[in-house]
Amino acid sequence: MQAVAVRCEPDVARVRAAYERCHARLWRALLAWSGSPDVADEAAAEAFAQALRRGAAIDDVEAWVWRAAFRIAGGELARRGAAGLTASVPDLGQDDGWAPSLEGELLDALRSLSAQQRACVVLRDVGGLSVGEVAAALGTSPGTVRVQHLAGRRRLRRTLGDSDA
């Protein structure tokens, strides 16, 4: 009997559906975390490219892409010698109610957070990920995500002058 090599073709439809559902949100979250449109572009593109290569080996494409994109962005920032949030974000020309507010006060407030607090706030509040999804993306526990998210939001409220903080 002759051995037949079985090649696992990427599940393009699943990756495309995940891209359509989450790419814009993922990109904005990467931008808010890294402060660099270039890092956000590269990390999102590379995460989806890797998902295509891995194909059916990935159970939950969307969760895997979020995790991979943040790890890729973190590696790129480390390579560049940055720890998230560069000095400025150019005008993005988007009117989605969120991206323009990255300029100025909000970007400065995000910069005041620790890298882990910033990642938790961005993934939960911008990305809309659950505590479990954030924990998986960051390789930490759900309890740590809850604590860091709460601390980050409190600090943002104080920094932005919210009297309810």
Side-chain angles (χ1 to χ4, degrees):
M1 181 173 211
Q2 185 179 17
V4 177
V6 177
R7 184 171 175 218
C8 181
E9 291 297 322
D11 188 352
V12 175
R14 283 187 331 128
V15 174
R16 177 177 289 146
Y19 179 89
E20 290 170 359
R21 276 191 313 272
C22 77
H23 178 267
R25 205 169 30 118
L26 172 64
W27 187 87
R28 286 191 305 268
L30 288 163
L31 174 64
W33 182 72
S34 71
S36 170
D38 292 338
V39 170
D41 287 343
E42 290 174 24
E46 181 59 26
F48 280 104
Q50 287 183 20
L52 278 172
R53 285 193 296 274
R54 294 173 192 267
I58 300 173
D59 291 329
D60 183 345
V61 175
E62 203 167 321
W64 188 93
V65 165
W66 276 86
R67 199 168 38 251
F70 270 81
R71 288 187 177 144
I72 292 164
E76 180 59 21
L77 289 172
R79 188 186 70 74
R80 294 180 181 193
L85 286 177
T86 57
S88 65
V89 174
D91 179 12
L92 303 173
Q94 295 178 359
D95 188 18
D96 62 3
W98 188 82
S101 66
L102 278 173
E103 298 178 59
E105 193 174 6
L106 181 57
L107 185 60
D108 290 341
L110 284 168
R111 193 178 291 116
S112 75
L113 302 178
S114 71
Q116 190 170 35
Q117 287 175 350
R118 186 170 53 248
C120 290
V121 167
V122 167
L123 287 169
R124 290 281 292 137
D125 298 332
V126 177
L129 275 64
S130 70
V131 169
E133 290 168 330
V134 174
L138 299 178
T140 191
S141 72
T144 298
V145 169
R146 283 193 223 36
V147 168
Q148 294 298 318
H149 180 245
L150 180 62
R153 289 191 70 173
R154 282 183 178 154
R155 184 168 185 153
L156 283 175
R157 280 193 295 270
R158 280 194 309 271
T159 302
L160 294 171
D162 185 346
S163 60
D164 293 337

